[in-house]
Amino acid sequence: MNKIDLTFTVNGGVRTVATKPHRTLLNVLREDLDLISVKEGCSQGDCGACVVIMDGFAVNSCLVLAPQAQGSEIITLEGLAQNGELHPLQKMFIEKWAFQCGYCTPGILMSCYALLLHNPVPTPDEVKDAISGNLCRCTGYQAIIDAVMAAVAS
Amino acid sequence: MDSAHTRLHFDYNAPQSLEAGLLALRKSPGAAIIAGGTDLLPSWRGGLIHPTLVIDFKHLGLSYIKAEVNRVRIGAYTTHSQMMVSELLTGYFPALPEACRQIAAPPIRNRGTLGGNLVNASPAADTAPPLMAYDAELVLVKDGSQRVVPLDKFFIGPGETLKQPDELLAEVYIPFCEPNTASKFIKMGNRRAMAIAVASVAVRISLGKAEEVLEARIALGSVAPTPIRAREAESLLVGEKLSEDVISAAAYMAQGEVAPISDIRASKEYRSRMVEVLVKRSLLAARTELKERMTGE
Amino acid sequence: MIKGSELGTSIIGKNATAIGGLEIIKGQARYCADLKIPGTLIGKLLYSKSPSAQVTKLDVSHARNLPGVAAVLTYKDVPGKNSYLYVYDDQPLLVSDIVRYQGDIIAAVAAEDEDAALSALDAIEVEYELLPGVFDPVEAMKPDSPRVWPGKDNITAHIVEEHGDIRAGFDQADIIIDNTYTTQRVEHAFLETESALAYADHDGTLIVYSSTQSPHSDRKQIARALAIPENQVRVMVPFVGGAFGGKMEATIQIHAALLAYKTKRPVRIQRTREESILTHVKRHPMTIHYRTGATKEGLLTAVKFEVISDTGPYINSGEEVLGASITLGYGPYNVPNARAEGFLVLTNNPICGAMRGFGLPQVNFAYEQQMDELAERLGIDPVEIRLRNGMKSGSTLPAGVKVLDGRGMKGTIAEAMRLSKWKDRSLIARQPEAHLRRGRGVGCSLYSTGYGAGVPDSASASLDMAADGSVLLRSGAADMGQGVHTVLAQIAAEMLGVKVSSIKLVTPDTQVTPDAGPSVASRATYVSGNAVIKAALPIRKSLLEVAAQITGLDIDLLSLRDGYLFAEGEELHLTVAGLATKALEKGLQMHAEGYYSVVLPGDYPEDEDPNKTEPFTFATHVAQVIVDIETGDIQVEKYIAVHDPGKMINIGSGLGQIAGGIVQGQGYSLMEELAVEHGYTQNLSLESYLIPTSMDVPEMEIGFVEFPYKYGPMGAKGLGEIPTAPVNAAIANAVANAIGARVRHLPITPECVLDALDKQ
């Protein structure tokens, strides 16, 4: 199988990667572009650790074939802070202790950011739904929801 | 020598025209159609399928929800998220967005498609019961021809459908319902998100002028090798008023029409039992909605 | 010992920014799989297809010759000891003859890329001759059952503990309650699967990045397997994505080291989720026969229980877990006559080992339901009966260990009653709808901090202050998310009078950071915290001596806080940095190592001998559930938890640990179970092994009571494990309260509920 050229926008910059077509967006982001915030937790779409934003929506990057990302706009956690300034979500996650081991955190932040892109003033139930595909084994989720609500309020 | 670990690589093709795509499909016996990839990729990774080529029809504008005079047409590449927020569907076919809302979680819903859900043909497919309750029809196209298949004939067995390897499920028709119709979807799972249905039900009831049942549909998921209609239970309802007794009788009848299995999620006894509970609850909910509408809400 | 109240407490009890927190939320935190070295080979392990078989053929010649394959190793290729070293060395790294569970490892492969590695796995020729195998612990206990180890009894440990006169105790009882409880095998489901990256440094040192709770223990095991000195192995711990006991023992780091050693190239091994669920240790499933005797006033006269624990084919930490169940199985209650018997049984089921709570959650399920049933049948309030029997300071467990500080028992109960508005519970609508029932239940727990009375338990830490007042903190304690690094930094900052931001914690590294022991047994804060305090003392002394000289004031009037010097509470505009500069100029000691041992003799008054007492901690939880009596569905509507951490050093991480423990406990109670049939695990994915999502969690209210522990660092005791223990009891008791029927096995699924209702 020959490699294909994948050209897409990642965190605001256009990138081109040559890849075999069976590889996933997760593989390309982590391995080819060193965007290591995108984590591998199960490779099956069951855990959400690999969630990134693709064309404005949260997706499991382990379930997107690399060629399917052709021409798309991807945002990973590395792209959340702008000009060195932390996003309110990031600030509140720190303040509310909304992470412990941190492994699920990039995926959770992306799901939360995706929510805010479409719904800037969500209810706690909407936040719960937004992260319902992100498993967390450490926090019990409550602190995460508190952090998002605090970020929205700020 | 084993082959439990290695996975065949595959090529990827996203045709720019339907003709080119269908031709590629016909010419490549080892091809699989990919939409959202949420079922295909785990199946490939798990060694259940071994495509040599995946064909992605994403450029063909197959993502739409359109109203025509008698029916709504949904493109096969429409995602669950899109169906969830469709005012058209929420207004006329509420059980469908209600089902979509309960599929997995947002990242899956943003990619998973109607076509993928139906063709994957899990007995637990969440869009199947509502679509069956709405008498949906499927448009299958292949190089040179197309055919329309009613959904309640489409599923043959777990993971098996009438769709041939050289066919693409292109769109789904849902005819508009009679004026005095209510519908409801209920899903039971072992947790409140990211859960495969243990049992699910979609009902649709249309009432006549004398409040008698004109049309009744009871579609069930996860309680048989395919999503099914509880036709005997439906016949019990037709011509009757929706009293508590009639509803209970229909629910009891539905329980007798299923053939569930015991698996890691639930025992067959439990599933059977839940059929009665879910059918009763959904019929009662439909009745309540119809009452509220008649009394002007 | 330094008590928290002697210092400024400007930092302790506050919410300091998490060490590593900025990296995490920026997406820059590097876990093992994120560390990249050019030329890294991909390592993969071949797992057994069968839970019980003889390996009759093992031919790796084809695999070795495949393009891109750098090494294929079998048991013949292990230079040193071909075994993990837990307490015993019964588990092989690479199987030579018999596979005893489905996760046994047959071969290890390293190749240029994943595809080549997978091809190599497929090219290894293995043939198995199936052996009978035993999959039911009760069957395994019978003399004629197949032996997991030839010639060895499947009952690998038998513990009996007695206290008082059990016969007389039951004779005195007005009521005796007998029940059997069963708990299931569950999986840690840490988000980051087992991961290691190993390579040989230019000077021959074998460097291993390991996702682990125990860097020094990993080092020992790697050295032992490779037959090289321990000082030639360097284990470093990057960010770890959760562990919960599942990374206490070595997982794949020894294999990664072996492959790196043989290939002389860097090798990475990361388990897939399926491999992780298949192989690593699980929580011991237990069957508990429990007999409780009490007077009609509800006072316990006798308790007798028997535990059968299925540990799989290798002992791992099975004896210690069983020991904890036996010791803690009476709950936080005074039991005058006691007998506990435990059987540790070998089977060909998945191997079991350490998991958060370490034997407590299982027995908690039993003893708390016994207490509740006692209360029901005697017509006594369930909280009242717990208070009547509850331990106090000075109480002794039947095992002979004393509770030095027992204020947490009444303290947590009182606060839980307040938060849950327990006395208003009759006002709650018990039947919100025709098919729904609401109920409340209480669960109390007692747990220890550290390895246990009399068991050697120590740690070292070192501190280094530079002329500008910035500090290096070196501790070998691994942080898996529980927040111990931040807590240690807070303690160091408090002791040295600087801001927490002045403390830099050096990543755990066996070549650089002293041995703190594994982060297990809720010991890290307690033991390492005390070690940090000891390390701080000489430096603090140097700073204050210089301060006394400069100011001419009595040293006893001086203190340090937030980077400044204070005299009797008044800031003196002298910075700690300034003092540090002077101290270094004078050659005073500004670097120190602290060694703390829990059981060091001679430091304690006789009745506080740490060989006879432990820093016990209490917890009281209240669950409110709504049960659908037609479907059996259980919704945990509200949840209150009150804990007894001695001193809550970091509120954010402390409350977080409790919240996370509650949700893990909820999973254990309601939805988690490793489905195993004849040794074959059926649910090898997170789609079929269900842990709670954000949609499943209740509204939680978490509180704590602070009774500073005399010997704890700043008064702190351990907190990490106990939050998960009483959850199953609180929920089970709430369900019983809701539906009037009890479920005595876990998980409490909807089917169990309907079963219980049908039997009523």
Side-chain angles (χ1 to χ4, degrees):
Chain A
M1 309 298 167
N2 292 326
K3 287 189 179 181
I4 55 132
D5 275 327
L6 166 60
T7 299
F8 60 153
T9 308
V10 184
N11 295 330
V14 178
R15 310 294 299 263
T16 299
V17 174
T19 172
K20 290 215 175 148
H22 70 277
R23 291 174 77 233
T24 62
L25 179 59
L26 171 64
N27 298 142
V28 169
L29 293 173
R30 277 188 60 75
E31 295 160 37
D32 303 342
L33 299 179
D34 201 41
L35 292 165
I36 53 97
S37 79
V38 189
K39 302 296 181 206
E40 181 177 354
C42 72
S43 291
Q44 297 245 106
D46 297 327
C47 75
C50 70
V51 168
V52 300
I53 298 180
M54 181 165 157
D55 296 327
F57 292 95
V59 302
N60 296 110
S61 59
C62 71
L63 294 181
V64 177
L65 279 183
Q68 291 185 305
Q70 190 73 258
S72 66
E73 265 187 57
I74 306 289
I75 305 174
T76 71
L77 181 53
E78 287 92 342
L80 188 56
Q82 295 294 317
N83 301 317
E85 174 80 17
L86 293 180
H87 189 277
L89 279 173
Q90 290 168 301
K91 290 184 192 158
M92 284 304 146
F93 264 56
I94 296 238
E95 202 171 296
K96 299 287 177 189
W97 209 279
F99 56 86
Q100 290 177 38
C101 85
Y103 202 76
C104 75
T105 307
I108 290 220
L109 278 168
M110 288 295 96
S111 286
C112 293
Y113 185 53
L115 171 70
L116 297 182
L117 287 176
H118 299 276
N119 181 359
V121 191
T123 63
D125 278 343
E126 285 169 334
V127 176
K128 267 194 189 181
D129 179 71
I131 62 169
S132 60
N134 295 89
L135 295 178
C136 175
R137 201 52 160 161
C138 293
T139 67
Y141 304 103
Q142 188 156 287
I144 294 170
I145 295 156
D146 292 343
V148 178
M149 297 307 292
V152 167
S154 73
Chain B
M1 307 269 203
D2 211 343
S3 62
H5 300 93
T6 43
R7 290 179 298 275
L8 267 182
H9 297 174
F10 49 78
D11 270 325
Y12 172 91
N13 182 4
Q16 295 291 337
S17 77
L18 186 59
E19 295 73 34
L22 293 176
L23 188 63
L25 196 54
R26 180 165 66 78
K27 288 196 162 166
S28 329
I33 299 173
I34 191 171
T38 60
D39 285 317
L40 187 140
L41 283 177
S43 295
W44 170 70
R45 214 180 140 264
L48 300 172
I49 58 171
H50 311 92
T52 50
L53 168 70
V54 299
I55 306 180
D56 189 346
F57 289 85
K58 67 175 181 173
H59 293 307
L60 304 188
L62 289 174
S63 170
Y64 53 81
I65 305 171
K66 292 187 227 191
E68 294 184 344
V69 176
N70 301 323
R71 63 189 181 186
V72 165
R73 296 166 58 189
I74 309 180
Y77 274 64
T78 308
T79 67
H80 302 303
S81 287
Q82 288 167 328
M83 289 189 283
M84 246 172 78
V85 301
S86 158
E87 277 177 34
L88 186 58
L89 294 179
T90 305
Y92 292 96
F93 307 102
L96 180 57
E98 203 172 346
C100 293
R101 229 187 321 274
Q102 294 179 64
I103 293 176
I108 300 282
R109 299 198 284 261
N110 287 336
R111 294 288 294 166
T113 62
L114 178 59
N117 196 238
L118 294 175
V119 171
N120 188 52
S122 159
D126 293 301
T127 60
L131 287 172
M132 277 180 134
Y134 292 131
D135 297 337
E137 293 179 309
L138 309 186
V139 179
L140 302 169
V141 303
K142 67 177 182 180
D143 188 26
S145 65
Q146 77 171 46
R147 58 180 175 142
V148 177
V149 174
L151 181 59
D152 59 9
K153 302 266 181 296
F154 184 64
F155 302 111
I156 314 174
E160 278 185 67
T161 68
L162 286 180
K163 187 191 90 67
Q164 297 301 304
D166 62 350
E167 284 179 309
L168 163 72
L169 167 57
E171 65 179 348
V172 177
Y173 298 150
I174 322 178
F176 282 114
C177 304
E178 296 72 18
N180 205 9
T181 298
S183 52
K184 182 85 184 145
F185 172 82
I186 305 180
K187 170 180 175 177
M188 282 195 64
N190 286 331
R191 63 181 172 185
R192 285 162 163 72
M194 297 292 285
I196 296 177
V198 162
S200 61
V201 68
V203 300
R204 166 187 147 212
I205 301 290
S206 311
L207 297 184
K209 291 206 172 65
E211 287 177 43
E212 79 289 9
V213 174
L214 287 179
E215 300 275 357
R217 303 282 184 275
I218 300 174
L220 300 165
S222 288
V223 291
T226 69
I228 58 165
R229 292 258 303 273
R231 292 179 194 268
E232 288 175 41
E234 291 169 357
S235 342
L236 247 184
L237 293 171
V238 173
E240 301 290 331
K241 295 229 173 112
L242 277 177
S243 67
E244 188 102 21
D245 285 342
V246 166
I247 288 176
S248 298
Y252 182 73
M253 178 72 87
Q255 188 190 221
E257 295 187 68
V258 301
I261 56 164
S262 295
D263 64 14
I264 199 171
R265 285 177 279 281
S267 70
K268 59 181 192 273
E269 292 80 12
Y270 182 74
R271 287 183 152 118
S272 290
R273 195 165 167 172
M274 288 309 103
V275 166
E276 186 174 6
V277 174
L278 293 186
V279 169
K280 185 167 177 186
R281 286 187 185 180
S282 53
L283 287 175
L284 285 171
R287 180 179 79 163
T288 303
E289 188 185 321
L290 288 163
K291 269 209 178 103
E292 280 170 4
R293 239 190 265 155
M294 290 210 299
T295 62
E297 292 181 88
Chain C
M1 297 255 74
I2 294 288
K3 293 183 199 157
S5 54
E6 284 178 6
L7 300 169
T9 61
S10 63
I11 293 162
I12 303 303
K14 310 289 191 295
N15 206 7
T17 301
I19 298 256
L22 272 176
E23 283 146 285
I24 288 174
I25 53 96
K26 284 200 230 175
Q28 293 165 352
R30 290 209 181 236
Y31 300 73
C32 264
D34 305 321
L35 300 168
K36 295 179 180 180
I37 300 174
T40 296
L41 297 168
I42 302 298
K44 291 247 172 234
L45 303 178
L46 183 67
Y47 298 98
S48 168
K49 278 192 151 41
S50 161
S52 179
Q54 169 110 30
V55 176
T56 51
K57 176 183 178 187
L58 178 56
D59 184 347
V60 300
S61 51
H62 285 114
R64 278 189 177 138
N65 290 327
L66 287 179
V69 175
V72 181
L73 306 181
T74 68
Y75 66 94
K76 296 179 186 158
D77 302 304
V78 181
K81 300 271 194 282
N82 179 23
S83 61
Y84 290 92
L85 179 65
Y86 303 142
V87 176
Y88 300 94
D89 61 355
D90 52 345
Q91 183 174 3
L93 293 169
L94 292 161
V95 166
S96 58
D97 53 352
I98 314 264
V99 294
R100 294 188 166 84
Y101 86 112
Q102 222 196 339
D104 259 330
I105 303 169
I106 314 277
V109 154
E112 297 293 339
D113 56 41
E114 197 187 16
D115 288 324
L118 293 175
S119 298
L121 288 180
D122 279 341
I124 295 172
E125 293 171 61
V126 199
E127 275 166 30
Y128 302 90
E129 186 185 294
L130 297 185
L131 296 174
V134 58
F135 307 102
D136 176 339
V138 172
E139 285 305 307
M141 287 167 75
K142 296 186 179 154
D144 55 346
S145 79
R147 298 296 167 96
V148 177
W149 290 85
K152 189 172 178 238
D153 198 332
N154 288 334
I155 300 175
T156 184
H158 179 214
I159 308 174
V160 179
E161 256 173 34
E162 280 195 76
H163 170 77
D165 183 341
I166 194 75
R167 259 239 178 105
F170 281 115
D171 285 339
Q172 289 159 32
D174 294 320
I175 180 172
I176 295 180
I177 298 180
D178 252 306
N179 284 301
T180 298
Y181 299 86
T182 56
T183 73
Q184 79 287 40
R185 214 172 267 107
V186 290
E187 144 76 37
H188 302 72
F190 29 68
L191 262 289
E192 181 210 14
T193 58
E194 302 87 311
S195 191
L197 173 62
Y199 69 98
D201 205 0
H202 51 83
D203 67 353
T205 308
L206 193 57
I207 298 184
V208 184
Y209 291 97
S210 178
S211 180
T212 183
Q213 297 173 241
S214 322
H216 284 80
S217 166
D218 286 354
R219 179 180 76 174
K220 178 169 75 176
Q221 295 204 44
I222 292 167
R224 184 174 167 274
L226 268 49
I228 58 180
E230 274 199 58
N231 65 3
Q232 300 282 43
V233 178
R234 180 176 181 182
V235 177
M236 295 195 276
V237 189
F239 282 85
V240 176
F244 314 109
K247 295 173 182 173
M248 170 176 101
E249 302 293 356
T251 57
I252 43 75
Q253 46 280 70
I254 309 173
H255 295 82
L258 198 51
L259 286 168
Y261 187 69
K262 294 282 187 178
T263 59
K264 305 201 184 335
R265 301 252 314 259
V267 176
R268 174 195 311 291
I269 299 183
Q270 170 124 35
R271 280 196 176 137
T272 64
R273 181 61 61 179
E274 294 79 8
E275 289 169 343
S276 178
I277 299 177
L278 180 74
T279 8
H280 82 257
V281 299
K282 305 290 174 266
R283 189 188 291 289
H284 289 83
M286 293 185 184
T287 299
I288 305 158
H289 303 295
Y290 213 101
R291 170 176 285 197
T292 307
T295 65
K296 55 183 175 348
E297 288 79 32
L299 288 170
L300 297 169
T301 62
V303 172
K304 178 174 128 141
F305 67 93
E306 179 195 278
V307 176
I308 299 171
S309 176
D310 176 353
T311 198
Y314 306 112
I315 300 171
N316 199 283
S317 48
E319 286 181 13
E320 287 73 25
V321 171
L322 183 61
S325 297
I326 296 296
T327 303
L328 299 171
Y330 300 96
Y333 306 115
N334 294 310
V335 178
N337 302 291
R339 185 176 201 276
E341 188 168 9
F343 295 93
L344 189 67
V345 185
L346 298 171
T347 65
N348 296 102
N349 285 323
I351 184 176
C352 289
M355 183 167 176
R356 195 176 193 179
F358 209 76
L360 175 61
Q362 296 95 320
V363 290
N364 218 129
F365 184 62
Y367 67 68
E368 281 300 89
Q369 288 209 75
Q370 290 289 100
M371 289 306 278
D372 237 43
E373 189 175 331
L374 208 54
E376 267 168 52
R377 296 198 11 203
L378 292 173
I380 300 174
D381 176 80
V383 174
E384 177 58 33
I385 203 170
R386 286 166 168 89
L387 286 169
R388 285 184 195 173
N389 290 284
M391 286 181 147
K392 314 179 199 332
S393 303
S395 293
T396 307
L397 275 68
V401 188
K402 191 167 75 164
V403 178
L404 183 59
D405 188 339
R407 293 175 288 173
M409 179 69 187
K410 286 221 164 87
T412 58
I413 290 179
E415 181 63 4
M417 294 301 102
R418 189 184 73 81
L419 288 177
S420 66
K421 300 193 181 51
W422 182 263
K423 57 180 175 42
D424 296 334
R425 65 193 175 287
S426 57
L427 303 173
I428 300 167
R430 302 270 288 164
Q431 191 169 317
E433 276 175 61
H435 59 278
L436 298 178
R437 300 286 180 275
R438 201 183 251 126
R440 285 188 147 206
V442 175
C444 290
S445 274
L446 164 76
Y447 195 61
S448 42
T449 299
Y451 293 136
V455 179
D457 195 344
S458 60
S460 296
S462 76
L463 288 169
D464 225 299
M465 184 181 280
D468 60 359
S470 68
V471 178
L472 282 171
L473 162 57
R474 293 184 180 85
S475 162
D479 192 327
M480 310 84 69
Q482 82 279 34
V484 69
H485 284 178
T486 311
V487 164
L488 295 180
Q490 285 177 275
I491 293 173
E494 183 73 32
M495 290 297 296
L496 298 174
V498 297
K499 293 189 164 55
V500 184
S501 52
S502 302
I503 310 286
K504 182 175 176 67
L505 188 128
V506 176
T507 307
D509 176 341
T510 57
Q511 202 165 80
V512 170
T513 57
D515 193 348
S519 290
V520 301
S522 306
R523 63 185 288 276
T525 291
Y526 189 86
V527 189
S528 283
N530 276 326
V532 168
I533 289 175
K534 283 198 153 190
L537 291 172
I539 302 171
R540 187 185 163 76
K541 180 159 174 277
S542 300
L543 292 169
L544 289 175
E545 267 173 22
V546 167
Q549 275 168 33
I550 295 176
T551 61
L553 292 170
D554 195 315
I555 199 171
D556 291 326
L557 301 172
L558 300 171
S559 63
L560 305 165
R561 213 164 73 229
D562 289 336
Y564 288 92
L565 177 68
F566 287 75
E568 289 181 308
E570 228 185 273
E571 199 196 302
L572 292 185
H573 304 290
L574 270 176
T575 60
V576 169
L579 296 174
T581 305
K582 276 268 178 303
L584 283 164
E585 276 169 20
K586 289 178 189 283
L588 296 180
Q589 182 180 4
M590 293 295 280
H591 165 97
E593 180 151 314
Y595 167 81
Y596 176 77
S597 168
V598 176
V599 295
L600 209 57
D603 277 309
Y604 310 87
E606 223 240 88
D607 64 340
E608 295 175 2
D609 183 349
N611 288 292
K612 302 201 184 113
T613 180
E614 288 173 46
F616 285 105
T617 167
F618 295 84
T620 302
H621 289 196
V622 179
Q624 183 167 302
V625 303
I626 296 182
V627 183
D628 183 327
I629 58 168
E630 286 175 357
T631 65
D633 175 71
I634 298 170
Q635 183 207 344
V636 184
E637 193 183 16
K638 283 197 179 122
Y639 201 91
I640 279 113
V642 180
H643 279 262
D644 161 43
K647 180 74 193 168
M648 186 70 99
I649 295 185
N650 184 312
I651 302 236
S653 95
L655 295 181
Q657 281 282 285
I658 297 170
I662 292 169
V663 174
Q664 273 189 2
Q666 181 189 359
Y668 183 54
S669 305
L670 300 177
M671 64 180 75
E672 293 183 40
E673 179 161 18
L674 200 76
V676 182
E677 262 158 61
H678 287 286
Y680 290 90
T681 302
Q682 309 294 306
N683 46 356
L684 290 173
S685 73
L686 293 175
E687 178 193 65
S688 45
Y689 183 88
L690 302 184
I691 70 173
T693 68
S694 58
M695 303 294 278
D696 298 294
V697 299
E699 183 192 309
M700 290 188 277
E701 206 174 334
I702 298 167
F704 56 93
V705 290
E706 281 182 323
F707 298 109
Y709 189 70
K710 186 169 177 184
Y711 298 106
M714 314 289 158
K717 298 185 281 195
L719 181 58
E721 292 175 87
I722 187 175
T724 210
V727 184
N728 56 50
I731 290 178
N733 287 336
V735 170
N737 182 248
I739 65 174
R742 229 163 242 292
V743 178
R744 296 193 179 86
H745 60 268
L746 290 174
I748 304 175
T749 61
E751 294 196 46
C752 294
V753 171
L754 293 186
D755 227 36
L757 284 168
D758 289 343
K759 289 197 174 105
Q760 252 187 324

